[in-house]
Amino acid sequence: MEFHTPHHIRELGLEALPVRPDARAKLGGNPGFLSDRIQPGQLRGAILGSPHPHARILRIDTSAAQALPGVHAVVTHADIPGIKHYGLRKVDRPVLCIDKVRHVGDPVAAVAAVDMETAQQALALIRVDYEPLPPVCDPGAALDGTAASEQPVHQDGNLLHAASHRQGDMSAARASTVHRVQDSYVTPRQMHAFLETEGGVAEPDGAGGLRLFFGGHNPAREKQVIADMLGLPHDRVHAVATPVGGSYGGKDELTIQPIAALLAWRAQRPVRLHLTRPQSVDLGVKRHPMQIEMQTGCDAQGRLTYHQVQIVADTGAYATHGPEVLDAALEHAPGPYRYLALDLGARLAYTNNGIAGAFRGFGAVQVQFALEQQMDRLAALVGMTADAFRALNLAAPEAPGPLGQHVVPFDGAQRALDVARQQPLWRGPHRWASADGRHLHGVGLTLIHRSDGFGKGGPSDCRMELALAADGAIELRCGFTELGQNLVGTIQSLGAQHLGCSADAIRPVLGDTRLTPDSGPVAASRATTLVWRALQEAAQPWQQALLLAAARLLPDIPLHCGAWGLESAAGLCLSYADLAKASGEQAPCISLDLRAEDPEGNAHDTHFVFGACAAIAQVCVDTWSGMVRVQRLVMCTALGPVASAQGYLGQMEGGALMGLAMGTQEELACLDGHYQARNLDGYLIPTLADAPEMQVLAIENIPEGDPIGPRGAGEISVNLALPAVANALAAALQRPITQLPMTPERVIALLEAGAESSTP
């Protein structure tokens, strides 16, 4: 591969990193997370969830619970004065169930009492008469079988969403095909397992309004949903959604906030509602399980000819982000490669298997696992190395996107692959056994790209404010929330870079609807990119505003903006604090309005910005026990300039661990609508002891004139880790990997099946 400029690579693990600016507050518990907002006088909230995965509600009797001393509120759907359902593209989720329950734990009623013991007693006194219905558990049968017509999950049927894409002459492409691989791939349901379960406080403000303190991604949306539910003007609801004790997408959409708000409004007392881990398992969203049929062909020289994909995904009881997840799966199914013809289809089924929703990797990671297995298997049939096969088939940097849409030109995939194939881990052996034959080692390579931001038509518009506060701090005010991604440090670093001040002079103001404009959700790896773009656009007008304000005080001195104030040739002349004090209400404040930039001709839900990564994984398989250990992971990340080295490294390493666990251990089984684990003693997540040796090589190059800047690092490490580990396992076992996770039982089964010749 040839490049106009050499790779600009930073090995982030070798750099000296500053202490996170929010580390002391988080580690010291001061101020803590929003579920830690414990104060005298709060009532305790509790939810009565359904014991059935699928049933009609015949009668709800709350009279005995209401009569219990110490109970201040008992609510059902009948107590909701405004809109009773909420949702994103599909408004299908009731705050409290009305005539039907659709998953175990589906909220039917709720209480607020003086303490948790009384609240639990009150729940036990609520009488609900159910008529159980057959649970819809298999997504394929939900769409095509008897469950599709006899007892659908929703009255409009079990098909929530479908998407398809075709391009090229399939007949001609198939005719030119010499080698083809066809298989079925199955990916698991995965839990977010965030440290802080869903929780927070709803407080009447004493003036006819309500204050909400719940960790989430989008306080402006939370405010809107709650106001509509209570029939209040939107400005009567105040939402604070930061900081968040982990999310990974699981707190993107509302869960318990409407119920807590309804209880507080009914009782006119503050109500604290915080789920236990088993309740969180029942009520929280999970990663979408997918069944993927994939057939891919190439010619005798190894050039890809056609790609056919059919996806069936299980969204569970309610839509949440399901349609967007399915669209992402379809869009990423071709990967960064070029074909003569594509035939892609995807369907999303309602079932009674809990609820699936947003999860780091967001629909793409499931199909990328399958696609990258296909690439390795085709390379072996042709007799090419895995890296050479991918290099031959990469789409050009200026080529259209995977669904034919216009995209921002970017050579990230080419650079990532070029860096990866030069790594010593890839240049060494790809399979070997230990001296005693017990342990098999495998090395696998993957190449993926990942969309940034929302698809066309999504909530991409964003507003922020840049202001000089009364104490002289430079405040960037935005509705984004701190999820653990080091957003505070990123804003300070980017502010210093673009505004010319000290990083410590910048004070991010986040996630509070009274203090910040609506910036849209902090999701889809968009916050860093939008902050970069906002500060880049604001730099000149901001400095001009500061200089204009300073000129009123020091009219005859040439000034420029410095680290802590306005400077002349002699040094600091006017600190930002003194400028703010002198300016009063006239202190500089500018509004930053960013609009969606999707090209007009692009189809709805497609993306026009992509980042890319390559990765190499080394695994060790114990042939006696079937246990798999990921030993090394080299990540070659082409995501543009690094906004915060510490945040970037944390995202890459943390996400990679989550991705490899999806491949080796995590699976939340669901039997007849009941999860088979409801706590972390039955659902094991990786610890630091499971983490491999990781190397992060950040490739910072972007094309000249690139309008985007940094691509998102928040999700793509999940996307790269899973297929890299799966390809390494396939190399070690000499069998394709078609079902995840690769538990010891599945590993032993493949070992007993013997090697397959089409696997490298």
Side-chain angles (χ1 to χ4, degrees), residues 220-231:
R221 169 166 165 73
E222 184 177 301
K223 166 183 170 177
Q224 170 255 313
V225 169
I226 301 305
D228 290 348
M229 178 191 70
L230 296 177

Side-chain angles (χ1 to χ4, degrees), residues 163-170 307-310 330 341-345 403:
S164 62
H165 176 77
R166 293 175 180 83
Q167 70 183 47
D169 186 334
M170 182 59 70
H307 190 48
Q308 293 179 307
V309 182
Q310 288 295 321
L330 188 88
L342 292 172
D343 183 0
L344 315 175
L403 302 185

Side-chain angles (χ1 to χ4, degrees), residues 125-143:
L125 293 173
I126 298 174
R127 296 289 176 258
V128 184
D129 293 338
Y130 296 100
E131 178 191 344
L133 300 171
V136 178
C137 301
D138 181 271
L143 298 176

Side-chain angles (χ1 to χ4, degrees), residues 189-198 245 248 275-282 285-286 359 658 661 665-668 675-687 690:
R189 179 181 294 102
Q190 188 179 20
M191 283 206 315
H192 302 79
F194 29 67
L195 183 62
E196 176 198 40
T197 57
E198 299 89 342
Y248 319 114
L275 298 185
T276 65
R277 183 66 63 179
Q279 291 169 338
S280 175
V281 172
D282 286 343
V285 300
K286 312 293 181 291
F359 200 126
M658 187 172 284
Q665 69 184 87
E666 289 192 40
E667 180 177 27
L668 183 59
Y675 290 140
Q676 298 303 286
R678 297 182 69 240
N679 212 327
L680 299 181
D681 56 354
Y683 182 92
L684 301 180
I685 62 174
T687 69
D690 301 298

Side-chain angles (χ1 to χ4, degrees), residues 350-365:
Y350 281 123
T351 69
N352 299 120
N353 299 325
I355 312 172
F359 200 126
R360 198 176 193 180
F362 206 80
V365 66

